């Protein structure tokens, strides 16, 4: 990834990373807060110091999800921590149009103990290459819940609205404080 090799300034690394995340999102404005320059510099600096460790944890969760499927069934998927625009009101997204499929998790909206559940939900979308919350999604997510020990599986009769929030994880309404170094997420 841009910035990891050779760039030691956290603000520069964070700026490169933020640009990459905007490219990996469905639309560039889905990532970031659109704040003034001072806020952007603070965000980039904090990201440059903390995001690599968070991405390492998210990668471990992604690998656990992939391990629930035979190698021939696995999709090429990547996962990153990213500050999602608060106006979206979502904890994560899966861009199945990207190559490889990209999962972005707003780790400021979700407690670290719930990151696996959020990655599993988005991994189900990536596995199916579908944004929907239908019966196939419920089956795939159920398979992941069993394999990862995430509690009860969603019923196959669950509605799309119900499946949008499975496995259930509480979220913070606005992750700005976390991404600016003042909060702990979730």
């Amino acid at each position: 990834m841009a910035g990891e090799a050779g760039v030691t300034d956290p603000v520069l690394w964070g700026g490169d990373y933020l640009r990459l995340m905007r490219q990996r999102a469905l639309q560039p404005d889905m990532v970031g807060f659109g704040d003034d320059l001072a806020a952007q510099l603070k965000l980039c600096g904090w990201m440059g110091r903390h995001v690599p460790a968070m991405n390492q944890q998210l990668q471990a969760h992604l690998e656990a999800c992939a391990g629930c499927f035979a190698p021939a069934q696995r999709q090429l998927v990547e996962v990153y921590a990213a500050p999602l625009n608060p106006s979206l009101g979502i904890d994560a997204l899966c861009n199945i149009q990207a190559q490889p499929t990209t999962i972005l998790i707003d780790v400021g909206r979700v407690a670290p103990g719930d990151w696996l559940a959020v990655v599993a939900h988005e991994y189900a979308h990536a596995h199916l290459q579908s944004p929907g919350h239908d019966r196939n999604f419920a089956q795939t997510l159920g398979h992941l819940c069993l394999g990862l020990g995430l509690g009860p599986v969603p019923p196959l009769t669950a509605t799309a609205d119900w499946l949008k929030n499975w496995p259930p994880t509480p979220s913070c309404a606005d992750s700005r404080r976390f991404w600016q170094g003042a909060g702990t997420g979730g």
Side-chain angles (χ1 to χ4, degrees):
M1 190 192 94
E4 287 181 355
V7 177
T8 56
D9 183 284
V11 175
L12 293 176
W13 189 94
D16 288 345
Y17 182 84
L18 193 59
R19 279 187 291 284
L20 178 63
M21 294 304 99
R22 287 181 172 142
Q23 292 170 2
R24 304 302 292 160
L26 293 163
Q27 298 173 354
D29 64 347
M30 296 179 89
V31 174
F33 304 132
D35 290 332
D36 62 33
L37 182 59
Q40 287 293 328
L41 289 173
K42 186 174 181 178
L43 169 65
C44 290
W46 189 90
M47 288 173 54
R49 290 185 298 277
H50 300 283
V51 164
M54 291 184 285
N55 279 345
Q56 191 172 24
Q57 183 63 48
L58 291 174
Q59 182 63 38
H61 293 325
L62 181 70
E63 290 169 10
C65 290
C68 292
F69 297 93
Q73 294 177 306
R74 297 176 190 164
Q75 300 288 335
L76 185 56
V77 181
E78 59 187 9
V79 64
Y80 298 104
L84 298 179
N85 189 320
S87 68
L88 299 172
I90 59 173
D91 300 339
L93 64 87
C94 178
N95 184 353
I96 59 175
Q97 299 169 4
Q99 293 299 321
T101 298
T102 302
I103 296 172
L104 301 180
I105 309 287
D106 190 332
V107 295
R109 286 182 53 97
V110 183
D114 292 327
W115 290 0
L116 177 59
V118 176
V119 172
H121 179 101
E122 299 304 326
Y123 188 86
H125 288 298
H127 180 77
L128 294 169
Q129 291 292 289
S130 171
H133 296 94
D134 58 12
R135 183 180 177 95
N136 289 335
F137 179 82
Q139 288 176 315
T140 301
L141 186 56
H143 178 78
L144 286 163
C145 287
L146 285 174
L148 299 169
L150 290 174
V153 301
L156 296 179
T157 57
T159 65
D161 282 341
W162 196 78
L163 288 170
K164 286 179 185 176
N165 299 308
W166 193 264
T169 56
S171 62
C172 171
D174 187 352
S175 63
R176 287 176 197 246
R177 288 180 34 80
F178 173 84
W179 288 105
Q180 293 175 340
T184 58

